[in-house]
Amino acid sequence: MSGAPEQNRKRRSFKLFLISTDLQVQDDLEGPILLSRGFICQEQDQGRTRKDALWVKVLDNGLMVKIEKKYLLEISADLVGLVEPVSDLDVRLNLLNNPDNLRQLASLPTNAPLWVLIGAQDELAEAELKYIGPLSGGSSALYFGVELKGTAVGRGTCNGSNKGVRYFSCPDACGLFVPVSHIRLRHWSSRNSIDAPEKTRDRSRRTNHGVNGHRSNNDRSNQPHLRRISFNHNRPKAQLQTQDMLSRTAESTPIAIHNNPRGSSSPPPFHIGQRVCVTVDGIVHGGEVQFCGALPGRSSTHVGVLLDAPAGNWDGLYKEHRLCHIPCHLYGVLLPVSSVFAEQTSPKPILKPALSPNPKQSPTSPAPAPRPPLVLPTKQALKPPLPPPKPTHKPLLTRPLPPPKPQNLTLVSASEHTNGSHSPLRPVDDEEENEEGVDDYGGTGLETELEVGSMVEVNDPPLFGVIRWIGHLGAVKELVAGIELEQELSAGTDGSYLGERHFRCPANKGLFVKLRNCRRDSRFPVPEKPVNQVERCNSIAFADWGSERVDEHTPPVDGDEAGQLYEGSKRGIQGHLNSCYLDATLFSLFSCCSSADWVLFWPSDAETNQSSKLAQDLLRCEIVNPLRRNGYVCASKTMALRRLLEAANSNAGFTNQEKDPEEFLNKLFQLLRVEPLLKIRSVTQQAQECHLYQLFPPTLPASPAPPVNSPIPMASPASMRVASVQSLLESSFLHGGLKFAEAPSCLLLLMPRFGKDFKMFDAILPTLSLDITDLLDDTLRQCSICQAVAEWECVQCYEDLDITPGHLKQYCQTCNTQVHSHRNRASHNPVKIAVPQGTWSGPLHHTRQRMSLFAVTCIETSHYVSFVKHGPQASDWLFFDSMADREGGENGFNIPQVRGCPEVGRYLGLSEEELSRVDASSLRESARRLLCDSYMCLYHSPELSLYK
């Protein structure tokens, strides 16, 4: 009756606890589970909490268990996120001794100086703090993002990103994400700045020696006690035993385990150079020990062996830590110490004695051995410790027969019904055979790669089968796989679980196992994982294609010198992963023209705009200067710029998706914080600033053209709908009531396009010399009739067929009266235009303001290319394609190419009327792409560029 009011009450936050002693609890699905001292738990289900026990979720392994309160010690919620990423439980407990120090580290400001432990030997490296927080949306674990400084530069693992999410920005291989156990405060002073590293290192070795997982008994006894927490109570002694299976809602009785004190030192079982033998793929091999000890971040002992025969697949590295030197990965193996034997000792047999043909257990057969306790691993890195072993021989065409059922198969069921219709067969675990959860087959995280139909193996020695079903079973929270085994199993089913059928298979061949305990069938080669092309684009992968940094300002070259510099294969900017939008735009802007160079030197505050300064330096010294000096830029340089753009913008995709040049330029100029290129005034007299201008198509009817003498094949009547950039610009400004508030030094114009299948124009003629005199605001303009100072402008006259249609019309006072006195133009509404102050009479003679075409960017089927003018001659044109060729397959490299295309100069010299009569089928490929696929035309005024 009181349940509803209780649910409506505001529930208190869940408490957090620390397990004070090593415990064993019995679970109906997991079996006996060992919980280590130092594990962190979170209270669950407050409404049904008993006085003497709690349901808690263990954050270190994600399991839900019931533990007596006397073994749980409450800890502060603000400390849990800090110590949760610390995998070494001794270090975690040591950190909790000083909660004030933890809170001080958590409150450090950005750019605080730190010492960071890096490398296998935990070297102290200089660093600065850049980020404190979780690395995934649903995680409470707090990591410290640092940027390495000084001699540690280049020893990091990232550039401030983790799994594609940007948390801070720093140069490549200078960023690290570490737990709180790996950082130390760094204080500098004029007196001890030289001695600070050594003193800090010595102090850290004395007080925090447990970071490496090595601690003597004396160190343990001298440690201060945890505040509010005591671990010195007596631990009850109990022998490990297998208990009866309980239901999920039944209460489990925890059993405290008496074991040796954590950290008790013992000599390593093997010494370097000792002869040992190991078993690889069922064959015993001899070798020498090259490494013996605890793996970085783990407490279990592993042995690295240099084999006498090429039967291994380990190169001496573990999670980027060099453990020993192995000349070739085929001669190295890394195994748990339990799998390595001294040469004079024979290893345990791999296969057990064969069973009788009847899979059912006979009445006289001995009872199955008790199930050993399951030791669940603590959280580890996402990478598997070791890759799955690869066979050294070619797989057989038919799958080999599996080994007979091993006697020590870790399978528990409450019934021996072999057909499975009533057998509550539970999903089994195979981790007890794998010391402390270390999966040499890469089982950790492999469940994301397995699917229905995958050939897998479980247990050790393995049972082979095929996954027939994946889903959830009852109260099991994790995914469960239903496997059809190759061999019959006494406790197997026919694909049913607790009376419910999930798949069909022969009797005694069905097995339900947690998906995370499945491994790929090691008898077959492991399929190659897809390569992350964003991360692959680095200086190491692109070593043979690299380009050098050039710090000195390098002006562009032109004429024949530009042709010699750029023309050829492996020239221009190398494309990679949908980068053509960026490659074509940068080559157009900077390869042969200096009018946009002012963005390379735009002043910025390095302290407040660090990303802008970094992007400007990258663009100038890594891309533009090397391009102009060597004629080539590697894709790793442009990828670095793309990463900066993606980090500076909330919308992702700059590193791997297709973009448009206008989006790239807008975001680039925003990142560089430069002044807009254009200032355009509308009829409301409000000047608007922008970097590019989109042309709108005119409503100009086609006019017949007289025959012309031309070597280019002509058709009569006109065969193509053609518009020039000059007419498009004038029409757009006139109908929009726009004027340039000031003459631009660089003008980037986007062509009107309406998709691949429909174009308003068959061809757009890039005007070589663009006249913008009549598009400037507050300047002297000539009368269209008498060349006097114009005072009136008429939009309706623009399309009048009687007075040269398609050209701007402005008139002096006299001509305006005469033109609009005609009855056909009586309805026109001329507009008064601004005239600079002064006395103006007679014809006006002044230099017209013109801009020169220096590049055209084109698009065809989502691929951008560039045409660049590199000299004064009409034939001085280059064609650039950043992905013209390719070396290798999916993981190969694009080969950029630049070639001369002097033939396009003939077409650019034609008028609109002449081009409209050109036979479209006669266009050469380069000319067709320039005229029919133009996307952006780039103009500049060399005189005005000097003042920008």
Side-chain angles (χ1 to χ4, degrees):
M1 298 295 293
S2 61
E6 287 295 332
Q7 292 178 0
N8 294 332
R9 293 179 184 175
K10 184 176 180 181
R11 304 183 68 180
R12 60 179 174 82
S13 59
F14 290 111
K15 294 181 180 180
L16 293 153
F17 301 94
L18 200 73
I19 299 180
S20 61
T21 184
D22 293 333
L23 295 176
Q24 175 193 341
V25 296
Q26 181 73 21
D27 186 82
D28 61 334
L29 294 178
E30 303 288 349
I33 300 175
L34 293 183
L35 301 176
S36 299
R37 171 188 178 225
F39 274 6
I40 299 174
C41 305
Q42 186 180 45
E43 177 186 13
Q44 303 289 316
D45 199 6
Q46 298 170 349
R48 298 183 309 193
T49 301
R50 288 191 348 184
K51 294 183 179 181
D52 57 343
L54 288 176
W55 277 103
V56 296
K57 179 180 180 180
V58 183
L59 301 185
D60 293 87
N61 53 34
L63 294 179
M64 188 90 71
V65 295
K66 179 174 284 189
I67 302 179
E68 293 186 20
K69 288 185 177 179
K70 62 182 179 180
Y71 300 119
L72 299 176
L73 298 170
E74 186 175 353
I75 58 176
S76 179
D78 61 337
L79 301 180
V80 173
L82 291 169
V83 299
E84 184 181 349
V86 180
S87 58
D88 191 311
L89 300 182
D90 283 338
V91 177
R92 179 184 291 179
L93 296 173
N94 195 30
L95 290 170
L96 287 171
N97 283 329
N98 193 349
D100 294 335
N101 183 53
L102 285 176
R103 293 187 177 97
Q104 179 186 5
L105 295 175
S107 61
L108 288 175
T110 304
N111 298 324
L114 298 173
W115 294 109
V116 178
L117 298 176
I118 62 173
Q121 304 301 323
D122 288 336
E123 307 170 38
L124 281 173
E126 183 181 349
E128 285 185 0
L129 179 64
K130 297 297 182 182
Y131 170 78
I132 301 178
L135 296 184
S136 61
S139 174
S140 61
L142 301 181
Y143 286 84
F144 289 72
V146 299
E147 179 181 354
L148 299 178
K149 298 289 185 179
T151 58
V153 169
R155 299 184 63 184
T157 59
C158 66
N159 62 350
S161 298
N162 182 65
K163 295 183 180 179
V165 179
R166 171 78 63 179
Y167 296 97
F168 63 92
S169 295
C170 70
D172 286 344
C174 289
L176 274 178
F177 291 98
V178 296
V180 67
S181 58
H182 283 59
I183 66 171
R184 307 285 185 269
L185 287 176
R186 175 163 57 95
H187 301 286
W188 291 100
S189 67
S190 58
R191 207 160 38 87
N192 61 358
S193 60
I194 299 178
D195 301 332
E198 290 300 326
K199 293 180 179 179
T200 306
R201 183 180 293 108
D202 294 340
R203 184 167 60 253
S204 66
R205 288 173 179 171
R206 292 194 301 268
T207 61
N208 295 293
H209 191 61
V211 171
N212 294 327
H214 306 289
R215 180 179 295 145
S216 66
N217 292 330
N218 293 333
D219 292 339
R220 179 81 181 231
S221 61
N222 294 331
Q223 293 176 1
H225 295 288
L226 284 170
R227 299 186 183 182
R228 299 173 54 199
I229 302 176
S230 174
F231 297 100
N232 294 328
H233 60 279
N234 296 327
R235 303 181 185 178
K237 300 180 180 180
Q239 297 296 328
L240 295 180
Q241 55 185 351
T242 304
Q243 303 193 3
D244 295 334
M245 184 181 66
L246 302 177
S247 66
R248 170 60 70 180
T249 57
E251 297 178 4
S252 304
T253 304
I255 303 173
I257 300 174
H258 178 74
N259 54 7
N260 292 329
R262 189 185 303 273
S264 58
S265 59
S266 59
F270 301 102
H271 58 82
I272 306 300
Q274 181 178 350
R275 294 289 303 178
V276 293
C277 56
V278 298
T279 303
V280 180
D281 294 335
I283 302 176
V284 178
H285 295 274
E288 289 186 0
V289 175
Q290 300 295 312
F291 167 81
C292 184
L295 299 178
R298 303 189 65 87
S299 58
S300 58
T301 302
H302 277 63
V303 182
V305 181
L306 178 63
L307 299 176
D308 299 333
N313 64 344
W314 183 59
D315 59 357
L317 287 173
Y318 176 76
K319 293 184 179 178
E320 302 180 357
H321 295 281
R322 171 66 66 179
L323 302 183
C324 61
H325 175 68
I326 300 294
C328 176
H329 70 280
L330 296 177
Y331 287 84
V333 292
L334 180 65
L335 299 172
V337 67
S338 59
S339 301
V340 182
F341 309 90
E343 197 169 46
Q344 64 271 17
T345 305
S346 300
K348 297 179 181 179
I350 296 300
L351 301 181
K352 305 295 182 181
L355 300 178
S356 60
N358 185 6
K360 296 185 180 180
Q361 183 179 355
S362 62
T364 58
S365 60
R371 171 180 168 86
L374 170 65
V375 182
L376 293 176
T378 56
K379 284 188 177 181
Q380 298 298 326
L382 295 179
K383 291 182 179 179
L386 288 175
K390 298 181 179 179
T392 56
H393 58 278
K394 184 176 180 180
L396 301 176
L397 295 178
T398 59
R399 300 184 66 177
L401 293 176
K405 171 196 168 187
Q407 289 183 348
N408 64 341
L409 176 65
T410 59
L411 182 65
V412 176
S413 70
S415 175
E416 292 297 329
H417 295 292
T418 58
N419 288 332
S421 58
H422 302 287
S423 172
L425 180 65
R426 63 171 185 81
V428 299
D429 288 298
D430 63 358
E431 290 178 323
E432 58 267 36
E433 294 295 330
N434 209 340
E435 183 177 343
E436 297 198 11
V438 177
D439 191 346
D440 294 339
Y441 292 89
T444 304
L446 188 62
E447 61 271 13
T448 58
E449 303 174 6
L450 298 178
E451 58 187 2
V452 174
S454 297
M455 293 185 294
V456 295
E457 61 182 57
V458 295
N459 214 294
D460 190 12
L463 295 173
F464 300 97
V466 178
I467 295 179
R468 298 301 187 193
W469 174 85
I470 295 177
H472 291 279
L473 291 178
V476 184
K477 295 184 178 180
E478 299 183 47
L479 283 176
V480 175
I483 303 175
E484 180 181 351
L485 298 174
E486 293 181 349
Q487 67 185 90
E488 290 188 355
L489 194 66
S490 61
T493 76
D494 60 353
S496 300
Y497 180 82
L498 294 179
E500 182 180 357
R501 179 172 298 282
H502 298 284
F503 65 96
R504 293 185 179 275
C505 70
N508 306 112
K509 284 193 175 184
L511 183 67
F512 291 90
V513 182
K514 284 188 176 180
L515 186 60
R516 64 180 170 88
N517 293 331
C518 298
R519 308 183 296 266
R520 287 196 178 275
D521 195 325
S522 61
R523 299 172 299 178
F524 298 90
V526 178
E528 293 186 1
K529 296 182 179 180
V531 177
N532 185 333
Q533 295 294 343
V534 176
E535 298 300 331
R536 176 176 171 267
C537 188
N538 54 63
S539 57
I540 297 177
F542 282 69
D544 295 335
W545 297 82
S547 56
E548 298 295 331
R549 175 186 175 92
V550 178
D551 292 310
E552 301 81 12
H553 174 60
T554 307
V557 296
D558 59 4
D560 295 338
E561 187 177 357
Q564 295 175 2
L565 175 66
Y566 290 119
E567 287 187 38
S569 181
K570 197 178 178 182
R571 287 291 184 268
I573 302 175
Q574 184 185 27
H576 177 70
L577 200 60
N578 300 319
S579 68
C580 59
Y581 71 92
L582 178 143
D583 308 325
T585 304
L586 291 181
F587 190 85
S588 298
L589 270 178
F590 297 107
S591 61
C592 299
C593 179
S594 61
S595 293
D597 281 13
W598 58 276
V599 303
L600 305 177
F601 302 96
W602 190 263
S604 61
D605 189 349
E607 295 183 359
T608 60
N609 301 325
Q610 184 178 6
S611 58
S612 300
K613 197 67 177 177
L614 183 60
Q616 188 181 63
D617 178 77
L618 177 63
L619 180 62
R620 182 180 66 250
C621 301
E622 301 280 6
I623 298 176
V624 176
N625 288 346
L627 177 65
R628 292 173 174 176
R629 174 167 295 186
N630 304 316
Y632 171 75
V633 174
C634 174
S636 61
K637 309 301 182 181
T638 53
M639 179 60 77
L641 180 61
R642 296 166 72 184
R643 285 173 172 168
L644 291 178
L645 287 169
E646 186 164 278
N649 296 277
S650 57
N651 57 334
F654 276 99
T655 57
N656 59 354
Q657 297 178 9
E658 295 179 358
K659 295 290 183 180
D660 295 324
E662 67 269 23
E663 182 180 4
F664 161 62
L665 286 175
N666 281 323
K667 298 300 184 182
L668 176 63
F669 290 156
Q670 291 174 14
L671 176 61
L672 297 177
R673 300 178 182 270
V674 298
E675 183 180 287
L677 290 170
L678 307 179
K679 294 183 180 180
I680 301 176
R681 192 185 306 280
S682 66
V683 291
T684 60
Q685 300 300 309
Q686 297 295 326
Q688 303 293 325
E689 297 181 339
C690 57
H691 298 292
L692 306 95
Y693 180 75
Q694 172 70 61
L695 295 177
F696 297 97
T699 57
L700 179 64
S703 58
V708 293
N709 295 323
S710 173
I712 300 174
M714 296 288 181
S716 182
S719 62
M720 290 198 301
R721 296 166 298 172
V722 177
S724 67
V725 173
Q726 181 75 52
S727 63
L728 289 172
L729 181 61
E730 290 180 354
S731 176
S732 294
F733 268 56
L734 186 65
H735 290 282
L738 305 177
K739 296 292 181 184
F740 286 114
E742 62 180 42
S745 62
C746 192
L747 179 59
L748 310 180
L749 298 176
L750 299 174
M751 301 298 103
R753 293 183 59 85
F754 297 92
K756 175 184 177 183
D757 298 327
F758 173 75
K759 298 178 182 178
M760 178 163 285
F761 304 100
D762 297 315
I764 295 178
L765 178 64
T767 306
L768 289 173
S769 181
L770 190 65
D771 190 346
I772 63 170
T773 308
D774 296 333
L775 302 179
L776 297 174
D777 189 27
D778 197 19
T779 185
L780 291 176
R781 298 165 62 182
Q782 283 184 336
C783 174
S784 301
I785 297 177
C786 68
Q787 285 78 49
V789 176
E791 301 178 29
W792 296 88
E793 183 178 68
C794 183
V795 177
Q796 291 85 353
C797 288
Y798 181 81
E799 300 177 4
D800 197 315
L801 299 177
D802 296 331
I803 48 175
T804 317
H807 294 279
L808 295 175
K809 306 299 188 300
Q810 59 256 347
Y811 310 104
C812 63
Q813 182 63 44
T814 303
C815 294
N816 181 63
T817 303
Q818 292 176 351
V819 169
H820 291 96
S821 62
H822 195 283
R823 62 181 182 179
N824 291 339
R825 291 182 284 275
S827 61
H828 290 192
N829 297 312
V831 178
K832 186 76 173 177
I833 60 177
V835 179
Q837 294 181 358
T839 303
W840 314 101
S841 61
L844 180 64
H845 301 284
H846 69 289
T847 303
R848 300 191 66 82
Q849 185 68 46
R850 299 181 183 274
M851 304 191 74
S852 301
L853 177 71
F854 71 91
V856 180
T857 301
C858 301
I859 181 175
E860 183 183 27
T861 60
S862 302
H863 181 58
Y864 292 93
V865 294
S866 291
F867 291 87
V868 176
K869 199 170 192 309
H870 66 92
Q873 303 298 323
S875 59
D876 291 339
W877 282 92
L878 296 173
F879 172 75
F880 163 64
D881 186 352
S882 63
M883 302 177 182
D885 200 356
R886 188 164 182 84
E887 178 181 292
E890 180 182 355
N891 295 326
F893 301 89
N894 289 312
I895 302 176
Q897 185 182 66
V898 180
R899 59 178 176 82
C901 51
E903 64 277 6
V904 302
R906 294 189 301 163
Y907 294 91
L908 295 179
L910 299 178
S911 64
E912 288 184 56
E913 293 77 14
E914 292 170 334
L915 184 59
S916 66
R917 298 177 60 247
V918 171
D919 185 3
S921 62
S922 69
L923 291 175
R924 297 183 60 177
E925 178 63 17
S926 56
R928 184 195 63 78
R929 300 188 73 172
L930 175 62
L931 299 173
C932 303
D933 295 326
S934 60
Y935 185 91
M936 180 171 63
C937 293
L938 294 80
Y939 290 87
H940 72 129
S941 176
E943 297 82 8
L944 293 177
S945 300
L946 300 176
Y947 301 97
K948 189 64 177 178

